[in-house]
PDB file of all heavy atoms in Angstrom:
ATOM      1  N   VAL A   1      78.449 110.058  62.130  1.00  0.00           N
ATOM      2  CA  VAL A   1      77.767 110.773  61.051  1.00  0.00           C
ATOM      3  C   VAL A   1      76.669 109.906  60.454  1.00  0.00           C
ATOM      4  O   VAL A   1      75.523 110.344  60.261  1.00  0.00           O
ATOM      5  CB  VAL A   1      78.782 111.201  59.969  1.00  0.00           C
ATOM      6  CG1 VAL A   1      78.050 111.660  58.702  1.00  0.00           C
ATOM      7  CG2 VAL A   1      79.663 112.326  60.477  1.00  0.00           C
ATOM      8  N   GLY A   2      76.994 108.651  60.156  1.00  0.00           N
ATOM      9  CA  GLY A   2      75.984 107.747  59.615  1.00  0.00           C
ATOM     10  C   GLY A   2      74.877 107.460  60.610  1.00  0.00           C
ATOM     11  O   GLY A   2      73.699 107.370  60.230  1.00  0.00           O
ATOM     12  N   TRP A   3      75.222 107.339  61.863  1.00  0.00           N
ATOM     13  CA  TRP A   3      74.221 107.075  62.905  1.00  0.00           C
ATOM     14  C   TRP A   3      73.251 108.251  63.031  1.00  0.00           C
ATOM     15  O   TRP A   3      72.042 108.073  63.147  1.00  0.00           O
ATOM     16  CB  TRP A   3      74.924 106.812  64.224  1.00  0.00           C
ATOM     17  CG  TRP A   3      74.015 106.407  65.336  1.00  0.00           C
ATOM     18  CD1 TRP A   3      73.553 105.165  65.620  1.00  0.00           C
ATOM     19  CD2 TRP A   3      73.456 107.276  66.326  1.00  0.00           C
ATOM     20  NE1 TRP A   3      72.742 105.188  66.722  1.00  0.00           N
ATOM     21  CE2 TRP A   3      72.657 106.476  67.181  1.00  0.00           C
ATOM     22  CE3 TRP A   3      73.553 108.643  66.584  1.00  0.00           C
ATOM     23  CZ2 TRP A   3      71.967 107.002  68.249  1.00  0.00           C
ATOM     24  CZ3 TRP A   3      72.865 109.170  67.650  1.00  0.00           C
ATOM     25  CH2 TRP A   3      72.072 108.351  68.471  1.00  0.00           C
ATOM     26  N   GLY A   4      73.790 109.474  63.016  1.00  0.00           N
ATOM     27  CA  GLY A   4      72.919 110.646  63.080  1.00  0.00           C
ATOM     28  C   GLY A   4      72.024 110.770  61.858  1.00  0.00           C
ATOM     29  O   GLY A   4      70.845 111.143  61.966  1.00  0.00           O
ATOM     30  N   LYS A   5      72.576 110.443  60.686  1.00  0.00           N
ATOM     31  CA  LYS A   5      71.755 110.470  59.484  1.00  0.00           C
ATOM     32  C   LYS A   5      70.607 109.469  59.575  1.00  0.00           C
ATOM     33  O   LYS A   5      69.497 109.742  59.097  1.00  0.00           O
ATOM     34  CB  LYS A   5      72.616 110.164  58.260  1.00  0.00           C
ATOM     35  CG  LYS A   5      73.550 111.282  57.836  1.00  0.00           C
ATOM     36  CD  LYS A   5      74.327 110.878  56.587  1.00  0.00           C
ATOM     37  CE  LYS A   5      75.237 112.000  56.130  1.00  0.00           C
ATOM     38  NZ  LYS A   5      76.007 111.623  54.917  1.00  0.00           N
ATOM     39  N   SER A   6      70.869 108.318  60.150  1.00  0.00           N
ATOM     40  CA  SER A   6      69.816 107.303  60.245  1.00  0.00           C
ATOM     41  C   SER A   6      68.643 107.797  61.077  1.00  0.00           C
ATOM     42  O   SER A   6      67.483 107.541  60.745  1.00  0.00           O
ATOM     43  CB  SER A   6      70.385 106.011  60.831  1.00  0.00           C
ATOM     44  OG  SER A   6      70.768 106.190  62.192  1.00  0.00           O
ATOM     45  N   VAL A   7      68.931 108.518  62.170  1.00  0.00           N
ATOM     46  CA  VAL A   7      67.838 109.071  62.993  1.00  0.00           C
ATOM     47  C   VAL A   7      67.037 110.089  62.192  1.00  0.00           C
ATOM     48  O   VAL A   7      65.800 110.080  62.196  1.00  0.00           O
ATOM     49  CB  VAL A   7      68.405 109.711  64.275  1.00  0.00           C
ATOM     50  CG1 VAL A   7      67.282 110.328  65.099  1.00  0.00           C
ATOM     51  CG2 VAL A   7      69.159 108.677  65.103  1.00  0.00           C
ATOM     52  N   LEU A   8      67.733 110.967  61.473  1.00  0.00           N
ATOM     53  CA  LEU A   8      67.051 111.981  60.660  1.00  0.00           C
ATOM     54  C   LEU A   8      66.235 111.333  59.554  1.00  0.00           C
ATOM     55  O   LEU A   8      65.079 111.707  59.330  1.00  0.00           O
ATOM     56  CB  LEU A   8      68.084 112.940  60.070  1.00  0.00           C
ATOM     57  CG  LEU A   8      67.548 113.981  59.076  1.00  0.00           C
ATOM     58  CD1 LEU A   8      66.555 114.911  59.756  1.00  0.00           C
ATOM     59  CD2 LEU A   8      68.694 114.772  58.450  1.00  0.00           C
ATOM     60  N   PHE A   9      66.806 110.359  58.877  1.00  0.00           N
ATOM     61  CA  PHE A   9      66.093 109.705  57.790  1.00  0.00           C
ATOM     62  C   PHE A   9      64.854 108.969  58.304  1.00  0.00           C
ATOM     63  O   PHE A   9      63.814 108.941  57.637  1.00  0.00           O
ATOM     64  CB  PHE A   9      67.019 108.724  57.059  1.00  0.00           C
ATOM     65  CG  PHE A   9      68.148 109.386  56.327  1.00  0.00           C
ATOM     66  CD1 PHE A   9      69.259 108.638  55.915  1.00  0.00           C
ATOM     67  CD2 PHE A   9      68.129 110.736  56.041  1.00  0.00           C
ATOM     68  CE1 PHE A   9      70.297 109.234  55.239  1.00  0.00           C
ATOM     69  CE2 PHE A   9      69.176 111.353  55.372  1.00  0.00           C
ATOM     70  CZ  PHE A   9      70.262 110.596  54.966  1.00  0.00           C
ATOM     71  N   GLY A  10      64.965 108.358  59.475  1.00  0.00           N
ATOM     72  CA  GLY A  10      63.797 107.694  60.048  1.00  0.00           C
ATOM     73  C   GLY A  10      62.661 108.661  60.314  1.00  0.00           C
ATOM     74  O   GLY A  10      61.491 108.366  60.035  1.00  0.00           O
ATOM     75  N   ALA A  11      63.003 109.840  60.857  1.00  0.00           N
ATOM     76  CA  ALA A  11      61.975 110.848  61.104  1.00  0.00           C
ATOM     77  C   ALA A  11      61.354 111.325  59.802  1.00  0.00           C
ATOM     78  O   ALA A  11      60.127 111.512  59.710  1.00  0.00           O
ATOM     79  CB  ALA A  11      62.573 112.024  61.872  1.00  0.00           C
ATOM     80  N   LEU A  12      62.164 111.514  58.755  1.00  0.00           N
ATOM     81  CA  LEU A  12      61.644 111.984  57.472  1.00  0.00           C
ATOM     82  C   LEU A  12      60.704 110.956  56.842  1.00  0.00           C
ATOM     83  O   LEU A  12      59.657 111.318  56.301  1.00  0.00           O
ATOM     84  CB  LEU A  12      62.807 112.279  56.521  1.00  0.00           C
ATOM     85  CG  LEU A  12      63.705 113.469  56.887  1.00  0.00           C
ATOM     86  CD1 LEU A  12      64.836 113.609  55.882  1.00  0.00           C
ATOM     87  CD2 LEU A  12      62.905 114.758  56.974  1.00  0.00           C
ATOM     88  N   VAL A  13      61.067 109.682  56.907  1.00  0.00           N
ATOM     89  CA  VAL A  13      60.202 108.640  56.352  1.00  0.00           C
ATOM     90  C   VAL A  13      58.871 108.600  57.087  1.00  0.00           C
ATOM     91  O   VAL A  13      57.793 108.505  56.468  1.00  0.00           O
ATOM     92  CB  VAL A  13      60.903 107.266  56.416  1.00  0.00           C
ATOM     93  CG1 VAL A  13      59.935 106.145  56.051  1.00  0.00           C
ATOM     94  CG2 VAL A  13      62.098 107.247  55.474  1.00  0.00           C
ATOM     95  N   ALA A  14      58.918 108.685  58.414  1.00  0.00           N
ATOM     96  CA  ALA A  14      57.679 108.643  59.194  1.00  0.00           C
ATOM     97  C   ALA A  14      56.805 109.857  58.911  1.00  0.00           C
ATOM     98  O   ALA A  14      55.579 109.737  58.738  1.00  0.00           O
ATOM     99  CB  ALA A  14      58.007 108.565  60.684  1.00  0.00           C
ATOM    100  N   VAL A  15      57.408 111.042  58.847  1.00  0.00           N
ATOM    101  CA  VAL A  15      56.635 112.255  58.592  1.00  0.00           C
ATOM    102  C   VAL A  15      56.008 112.214  57.199  1.00  0.00           C
ATOM    103  O   VAL A  15      54.828 112.566  57.024  1.00  0.00           O
ATOM    104  CB  VAL A  15      57.530 113.500  58.753  1.00  0.00           C
ATOM    105  CG1 VAL A  15      56.819 114.744  58.229  1.00  0.00           C
ATOM    106  CG2 VAL A  15      57.900 113.693  60.213  1.00  0.00           C
ATOM    107  N   ALA A  16      56.768 111.766  56.201  1.00  0.00           N
ATOM    108  CA  ALA A  16      56.229 111.701  54.833  1.00  0.00           C
ATOM    109  C   ALA A  16      55.053 110.734  54.760  1.00  0.00           C
ATOM    110  O   ALA A  16      54.011 111.044  54.175  1.00  0.00           O
ATOM    111  CB  ALA A  16      57.323 111.282  53.859  1.00  0.00           C
ATOM    112  N   GLY A  17      55.191 109.555  55.362  1.00  0.00           N
ATOM    113  CA  GLY A  17      54.108 108.577  55.315  1.00  0.00           C
ATOM    114  C   GLY A  17      52.862 109.050  56.039  1.00  0.00           C
ATOM    115  O   GLY A  17      51.743 108.947  55.519  1.00  0.00           O
ATOM    116  N   CYS A  18      53.041 109.568  57.248  1.00  0.00           N
ATOM    117  CA  CYS A  18      51.884 110.016  58.034  1.00  0.00           C
ATOM    118  C   CYS A  18      51.228 111.247  57.418  1.00  0.00           C
ATOM    119  O   CYS A  18      50.004 111.381  57.431  1.00  0.00           O
ATOM    120  CB  CYS A  18      52.313 110.298  59.466  1.00  0.00           C
ATOM    121  SG  CYS A  18      52.916 108.846  60.359  1.00  0.00           S
ATOM    122  N   MET A  19      52.031 112.154  56.879  1.00  0.00           N
ATOM    123  CA  MET A  19      51.473 113.374  56.290  1.00  0.00           C
ATOM    124  C   MET A  19      50.575 113.046  55.111  1.00  0.00           C
ATOM    125  O   MET A  19      49.444 113.529  55.022  1.00  0.00           O
ATOM    126  CB  MET A  19      52.609 114.302  55.846  1.00  0.00           C
ATOM    127  CG  MET A  19      52.132 115.590  55.172  1.00  0.00           C
ATOM    128  SD  MET A  19      53.489 116.609  54.560  1.00  0.00           S
ATOM    129  CE  MET A  19      54.082 115.592  53.208  1.00  0.00           C
ATOM    130  N   HIS A  20      51.048 112.211  54.197  1.00  0.00           N
ATOM    131  CA  HIS A  20      50.219 111.878  53.041  1.00  0.00           C
ATOM    132  C   HIS A  20      49.037 111.011  53.438  1.00  0.00           C
ATOM    133  O   HIS A  20      47.995 111.046  52.763  1.00  0.00           O
ATOM    134  CB  HIS A  20      51.063 111.174  51.982  1.00  0.00           C
ATOM    135  CG  HIS A  20      51.985 112.087  51.242  1.00  0.00           C
ATOM    136  ND1 HIS A  20      51.546 112.970  50.283  1.00  0.00           N
ATOM    137  CD2 HIS A  20      53.326 112.274  51.331  1.00  0.00           C
ATOM    138  CE1 HIS A  20      52.569 113.647  49.802  1.00  0.00           C
ATOM    139  NE2 HIS A  20      53.660 113.250  50.413  1.00  0.00           N
ATOM    140  N   GLY A  21      49.163 110.239  54.500  1.00  0.00           N
ATOM    141  CA  GLY A  21      48.022 109.466  54.968  1.00  0.00           C
ATOM    142  C   GLY A  21      46.915 110.355  55.506  1.00  0.00           C
ATOM    143  O   GLY A  21      45.732 110.170  55.186  1.00  0.00           O
ATOM    144  N   ILE A  22      47.271 111.341  56.325  1.00  0.00           N
ATOM    145  CA  ILE A  22      46.267 112.243  56.899  1.00  0.00           C
ATOM    146  C   ILE A  22      45.673 113.152  55.825  1.00  0.00           C
ATOM    147  O   ILE A  22      44.480 113.485  55.858  1.00  0.00           O
ATOM    148  CB  ILE A  22      46.893 113.066  58.035  1.00  0.00           C
ATOM    149  CG1 ILE A  22      47.111 112.163  59.245  1.00  0.00           C
ATOM    150  CG2 ILE A  22      46.025 114.257  58.410  1.00  0.00           C
ATOM    151  CD1 ILE A  22      47.649 112.875  60.464  1.00  0.00           C
ATOM    152  N   GLN A  23      46.473 113.540  54.844  1.00  0.00           N
ATOM    153  CA  GLN A  23      45.980 114.407  53.774  1.00  0.00           C
ATOM    154  C   GLN A  23      45.306 113.634  52.655  1.00  0.00           C
ATOM    155  O   GLN A  23      44.915 114.219  51.641  1.00  0.00           O
ATOM    156  CB  GLN A  23      47.138 115.225  53.202  1.00  0.00           C
ATOM    157  CG  GLN A  23      47.747 116.205  54.189  1.00  0.00           C
ATOM    158  CD  GLN A  23      48.947 116.935  53.631  1.00  0.00           C
ATOM    159  OE1 GLN A  23      49.384 116.668  52.511  1.00  0.00           O
ATOM    160  NE2 GLN A  23      49.500 117.864  54.395  1.00  0.00           N
ATOM    161  N   SER A  24      45.138 112.335  52.813  1.00  0.00           N
ATOM    162  CA  SER A  24      44.540 111.503  51.767  1.00  0.00           C
ATOM    163  C   SER A  24      43.056 111.802  51.619  1.00  0.00           C
ATOM    164  O   SER A  24      42.384 112.287  52.541  1.00  0.00           O
ATOM    165  CB  SER A  24      44.742 110.019  52.101  1.00  0.00           C
ATOM    166  OG  SER A  24      44.010 109.197  51.221  1.00  0.00           O
ATOM    167  N   GLY A  25      42.548 111.496  50.431  1.00  0.00           N
ATOM    168  CA  GLY A  25      41.115 111.604  50.196  1.00  0.00           C
ATOM    169  C   GLY A  25      40.368 110.430  50.802  1.00  0.00           C
ATOM    170  O   GLY A  25      40.932 109.601  51.527  1.00  0.00           O
ATOM    171  N   ARG A  26      39.084 110.327  50.473  1.00  0.00           N
ATOM    172  CA  ARG A  26      38.233 109.322  51.106  1.00  0.00           C
ATOM    173  C   ARG A  26      37.805 108.236  50.112  1.00  0.00           C
ATOM    174  O   ARG A  26      36.689 107.749  50.177  1.00  0.00           O
ATOM    175  CB  ARG A  26      37.002 109.986  51.723  1.00  0.00           C
ATOM    176  CG  ARG A  26      37.338 111.014  52.788  1.00  0.00           C
ATOM    177  CD  ARG A  26      36.085 111.591  53.434  1.00  0.00           C
ATOM    178  NE  ARG A  26      36.408 112.631  54.386  1.00  0.00           N
ATOM    179  CZ  ARG A  26      36.703 112.433  55.657  1.00  0.00           C
ATOM    180  NH1 ARG A  26      36.713 111.199  56.132  1.00  0.00           N
ATOM    181  NH2 ARG A  26      36.976 113.441  56.462  1.00  0.00           N
ATOM    182  N   SER A  27      38.701 107.869  49.212  1.00  0.00           N
ATOM    183  CA  SER A  27      38.408 106.806  48.265  1.00  0.00           C
ATOM    184  C   SER A  27      39.586 105.857  48.199  1.00  0.00           C
ATOM    185  O   SER A  27      40.697 106.171  48.671  1.00  0.00           O
ATOM    186  CB  SER A  27      38.118 107.382  46.868  1.00  0.00           C
ATOM    187  OG  SER A  27      39.266 108.024  46.348  1.00  0.00           O
ATOM    188  N   ALA A  28      39.354 104.683  47.606  1.00  0.00           N
ATOM    189  CA  ALA A  28      40.431 103.698  47.486  1.00  0.00           C
ATOM    190  C   ALA A  28      41.556 104.223  46.600  1.00  0.00           C
ATOM    191  O   ALA A  28      42.739 103.997  46.879  1.00  0.00           O
ATOM    192  CB  ALA A  28      39.864 102.395  46.926  1.00  0.00           C
ATOM    193  N   ALA A  29      41.195 104.915  45.525  1.00  0.00           N
ATOM    194  CA  ALA A  29      42.220 105.475  44.646  1.00  0.00           C
ATOM    195  C   ALA A  29      43.055 106.525  45.368  1.00  0.00           C
ATOM    196  O   ALA A  29      44.279 106.606  45.179  1.00  0.00           O
ATOM    197  CB  ALA A  29      41.561 106.090  43.407  1.00  0.00           C
ATOM    198  N   ALA A  30      42.416 107.326  46.219  1.00  0.00           N
ATOM    199  CA  ALA A  30      43.147 108.352  46.959  1.00  0.00           C
ATOM    200  C   ALA A  30      44.127 107.723  47.941  1.00  0.00           C
ATOM    201  O   ALA A  30      45.238 108.239  48.139  1.00  0.00           O
ATOM    202  CB  ALA A  30      42.163 109.259  47.692  1.00  0.00           C
ATOM    203  N   VAL A  31      43.745 106.617  48.562  1.00  0.00           N
ATOM    204  CA  VAL A  31      44.647 105.930  49.485  1.00  0.00           C
ATOM    205  C   VAL A  31      45.864 105.386  48.736  1.00  0.00           C
ATOM    206  O   VAL A  31      47.004 105.491  49.208  1.00  0.00           O
ATOM    207  CB  VAL A  31      43.903 104.801  50.219  1.00  0.00           C
ATOM    208  CG1 VAL A  31      44.860 103.983  51.078  1.00  0.00           C
ATOM    209  CG2 VAL A  31      42.794 105.376  51.095  1.00  0.00           C
ATOM    210  N   GLY A  32      45.636 104.800  47.559  1.00  0.00           N
ATOM    211  CA  GLY A  32      46.759 104.329  46.759  1.00  0.00           C
ATOM    212  C   GLY A  32      47.682 105.453  46.333  1.00  0.00           C
ATOM    213  O   GLY A  32      48.917 105.314  46.368  1.00  0.00           O
ATOM    214  N   ASN A  33      47.098 106.578  45.921  1.00  0.00           N
ATOM    215  CA  ASN A  33      47.918 107.734  45.545  1.00  0.00           C
ATOM    216  C   ASN A  33      48.704 108.265  46.733  1.00  0.00           C
ATOM    217  O   ASN A  33      49.846 108.722  46.582  1.00  0.00           O
ATOM    218  CB  ASN A  33      47.029 108.836  44.972  1.00  0.00           C
ATOM    219  CG  ASN A  33      46.397 108.446  43.649  1.00  0.00           C
ATOM    220  OD1 ASN A  33      46.929 107.611  42.923  1.00  0.00           O
ATOM    221  ND2 ASN A  33      45.263 109.038  43.330  1.00  0.00           N
ATOM    222  N   ALA A  34      48.106 108.217  47.919  1.00  0.00           N
ATOM    223  CA  ALA A  34      48.810 108.681  49.118  1.00  0.00           C
ATOM    224  C   ALA A  34      50.012 107.799  49.418  1.00  0.00           C
ATOM    225  O   ALA A  34      51.085 108.299  49.791  1.00  0.00           O
ATOM    226  CB  ALA A  34      47.848 108.695  50.308  1.00  0.00           C
ATOM    227  N   ALA A  35      49.861 106.494  49.264  1.00  0.00           N
ATOM    228  CA  ALA A  35      50.988 105.583  49.504  1.00  0.00           C
ATOM    229  C   ALA A  35      52.119 105.843  48.510  1.00  0.00           C
ATOM    230  O   ALA A  35      53.302 105.868  48.883  1.00  0.00           O
ATOM    231  CB  ALA A  35      50.515 104.131  49.407  1.00  0.00           C
ATOM    232  N   THR A  36      51.762 106.045  47.248  1.00  0.00           N
ATOM    233  CA  THR A  36      52.783 106.342  46.242  1.00  0.00           C
ATOM    234  C   THR A  36      53.473 107.667  46.522  1.00  0.00           C
ATOM    235  O   THR A  36      54.710 107.777  46.449  1.00  0.00           O
ATOM    236  CB  THR A  36      52.146 106.370  44.844  1.00  0.00           C
ATOM    237  OG1 THR A  36      51.498 105.122  44.593  1.00  0.00           O
ATOM    238  CG2 THR A  36      53.183 106.630  43.778  1.00  0.00           C
ATOM    239  N   ALA A  37      52.683 108.685  46.849  1.00  0.00           N
ATOM    240  CA  ALA A  37      53.257 110.001  47.131  1.00  0.00           C
ATOM    241  C   ALA A  37      54.148 109.964  48.365  1.00  0.00           C
ATOM    242  O   ALA A  37      55.154 110.674  48.435  1.00  0.00           O
ATOM    243  CB  ALA A  37      52.131 111.023  47.321  1.00  0.00           C
ATOM    244  N   ALA A  38      53.799 109.134  49.345  1.00  0.00           N
ATOM    245  CA  ALA A  38      54.620 109.032  50.552  1.00  0.00           C
ATOM    246  C   ALA A  38      56.007 108.497  50.233  1.00  0.00           C
ATOM    247  O   ALA A  38      57.023 108.992  50.741  1.00  0.00           O
ATOM    248  CB  ALA A  38      53.929 108.132  51.574  1.00  0.00           C
ATOM    249  N   VAL A  39      56.080 107.485  49.378  1.00  0.00           N
ATOM    250  CA  VAL A  39      57.377 106.922  49.000  1.00  0.00           C
ATOM    251  C   VAL A  39      58.202 107.946  48.234  1.00  0.00           C
ATOM    252  O   VAL A  39      59.398 108.152  48.518  1.00  0.00           O
ATOM    253  CB  VAL A  39      57.173 105.643  48.169  1.00  0.00           C
ATOM    254  CG1 VAL A  39      58.519 105.100  47.698  1.00  0.00           C
ATOM    255  CG2 VAL A  39      56.444 104.587  48.979  1.00  0.00           C
ATOM    256  N   VAL A  40      57.583 108.595  47.266  1.00  0.00           N
ATOM    257  CA  VAL A  40      58.315 109.580  46.453  1.00  0.00           C
ATOM    258  C   VAL A  40      58.808 110.733  47.328  1.00  0.00           C
ATOM    259  O   VAL A  40      59.969 111.164  47.228  1.00  0.00           O
ATOM    260  CB  VAL A  40      57.415 110.098  45.319  1.00  0.00           C
ATOM    261  CG1 VAL A  40      58.109 111.217  44.549  1.00  0.00           C
ATOM    262  CG2 VAL A  40      57.049 108.963  44.375  1.00  0.00           C
ATOM    263  N   THR A  41      57.943 111.246  48.190  1.00  0.00           N
ATOM    264  CA  THR A  41      58.333 112.364  49.052  1.00  0.00           C
ATOM    265  C   THR A  41      59.460 111.973  49.987  1.00  0.00           C
ATOM    266  O   THR A  41      60.420 112.736  50.185  1.00  0.00           O
ATOM    267  CB  THR A  41      57.118 112.835  49.866  1.00  0.00           C
ATOM    268  OG1 THR A  41      56.070 113.228  48.976  1.00  0.00           O
ATOM    269  CG2 THR A  41      57.484 114.011  50.753  1.00  0.00           C
ATOM    270  N   ALA A  42      59.379 110.794  50.578  1.00  0.00           N
ATOM    271  CA  ALA A  42      60.431 110.340  51.490  1.00  0.00           C
ATOM    272  C   ALA A  42      61.765 110.211  50.766  1.00  0.00           C
ATOM    273  O   ALA A  42      62.817 110.629  51.286  1.00  0.00           O
ATOM    274  CB  ALA A  42      60.035 109.005  52.121  1.00  0.00           C
ATOM    275  N   LEU A  43      61.761 109.653  49.563  1.00  0.00           N
ATOM    276  CA  LEU A  43      63.008 109.508  48.813  1.00  0.00           C
ATOM    277  C   LEU A  43      63.611 110.864  48.465  1.00  0.00           C
ATOM    278  O   LEU A  43      64.832 111.058  48.572  1.00  0.00           O
ATOM    279  CB  LEU A  43      62.752 108.699  47.540  1.00  0.00           C
ATOM    280  CG  LEU A  43      62.353 107.233  47.734  1.00  0.00           C
ATOM    281  CD1 LEU A  43      62.120 106.568  46.384  1.00  0.00           C
ATOM    282  CD2 LEU A  43      63.406 106.476  48.519  1.00  0.00           C
ATOM    283  N   VAL A  44      62.774 111.795  48.056  1.00  0.00           N
ATOM    284  CA  VAL A  44      63.281 113.137  47.724  1.00  0.00           C
ATOM    285  C   VAL A  44      63.864 113.803  48.962  1.00  0.00           C
ATOM    286  O   VAL A  44      64.967 114.390  48.921  1.00  0.00           O
ATOM    287  CB  VAL A  44      62.152 113.993  47.118  1.00  0.00           C
ATOM    288  CG1 VAL A  44      62.606 115.439  46.958  1.00  0.00           C
ATOM    289  CG2 VAL A  44      61.731 113.432  45.771  1.00  0.00           C
ATOM    290  N   TRP A  45      63.154 113.734  50.084  1.00  0.00           N
ATOM    291  CA  TRP A  45      63.662 114.333  51.316  1.00  0.00           C
ATOM    292  C   TRP A  45      64.970 113.689  51.757  1.00  0.00           C
ATOM    293  O   TRP A  45      65.877 114.370  52.241  1.00  0.00           O
ATOM    294  CB  TRP A  45      62.611 114.195  52.422  1.00  0.00           C
ATOM    295  CG  TRP A  45      61.452 115.124  52.250  1.00  0.00           C
ATOM    296  CD1 TRP A  45      61.277 116.068  51.285  1.00  0.00           C
ATOM    297  CD2 TRP A  45      60.291 115.202  53.083  1.00  0.00           C
ATOM    298  NE1 TRP A  45      60.079 116.725  51.455  1.00  0.00           N
ATOM    299  CE2 TRP A  45      59.449 116.228  52.553  1.00  0.00           C
ATOM    300  CE3 TRP A  45      59.863 114.512  54.208  1.00  0.00           C
ATOM    301  CZ2 TRP A  45      58.240 116.551  53.118  1.00  0.00           C
ATOM    302  CZ3 TRP A  45      58.645 114.839  54.788  1.00  0.00           C
ATOM    303  CH2 TRP A  45      57.839 115.851  54.249  1.00  0.00           C
ATOM    304  N   ILE A  46      65.085 112.377  51.620  1.00  0.00           N
ATOM    305  CA  ILE A  46      66.310 111.680  52.034  1.00  0.00           C
ATOM    306  C   ILE A  46      67.500 112.155  51.205  1.00  0.00           C
ATOM    307  O   ILE A  46      68.572 112.484  51.753  1.00  0.00           O
ATOM    308  CB  ILE A  46      66.118 110.156  51.908  1.00  0.00           C
ATOM    309  CG1 ILE A  46      65.156 109.654  52.986  1.00  0.00           C
ATOM    310  CG2 ILE A  46      67.450 109.427  52.023  1.00  0.00           C
ATOM    311  CD1 ILE A  46      64.715 108.224  52.778  1.00  0.00           C
ATOM    312  N   ILE A  47      67.338 112.216  49.894  1.00  0.00           N
ATOM    313  CA  ILE A  47      68.459 112.612  49.036  1.00  0.00           C
ATOM    314  C   ILE A  47      68.832 114.073  49.261  1.00  0.00           C
ATOM    315  O   ILE A  47      70.025 114.422  49.340  1.00  0.00           O
ATOM    316  CB  ILE A  47      68.099 112.362  47.557  1.00  0.00           C
ATOM    317  CG1 ILE A  47      67.803 110.876  47.325  1.00  0.00           C
ATOM    318  CG2 ILE A  47      69.221 112.821  46.654  1.00  0.00           C
ATOM    319  CD1 ILE A  47      68.939 109.953  47.705  1.00  0.00           C
ATOM    320  N   ILE A  48      67.815 114.931  49.370  1.00  0.00           N
ATOM    321  CA  ILE A  48      68.114 116.355  49.588  1.00  0.00           C
ATOM    322  C   ILE A  48      68.819 116.571  50.924  1.00  0.00           C
ATOM    323  O   ILE A  48      69.824 117.294  51.017  1.00  0.00           O
ATOM    324  CB  ILE A  48      66.820 117.182  49.506  1.00  0.00           C
ATOM    325  CG1 ILE A  48      66.280 117.180  48.075  1.00  0.00           C
ATOM    326  CG2 ILE A  48      67.065 118.617  49.970  1.00  0.00           C
ATOM    327  CD1 ILE A  48      64.971 117.910  47.912  1.00  0.00           C
TER     328      ILE A  48
END
């Protein structure tokens, strides 16, 4: 059960990070906001 969760959680972390990176704006502030949003989104997806 824990092993299967680890695979799912890894996919969720990667998808959250890449999604916010591709949807980021074209400024330094937008890149920083994307990094923050990626962490928050990944944590929410993991807990849910």
Side-chain angles (χ1 to χ4, degrees):
V1 167
W3 185 84
K5 287 182 178 180
S6 67
V7 178
L8 174 63
F9 294 163
L12 292 178
V13 171
V15 169
C18 296
M19 178 184 69
H20 286 286
I22 287 183
Q23 295 176 356
S24 171
R26 300 183 184 273
S27 64
V31 174
N33 293 334
T36 303
V39 176
V40 175
T41 301
L43 294 179
V44 172
W45 286 357
I46 289 169
I47 300 302
I48 292 177

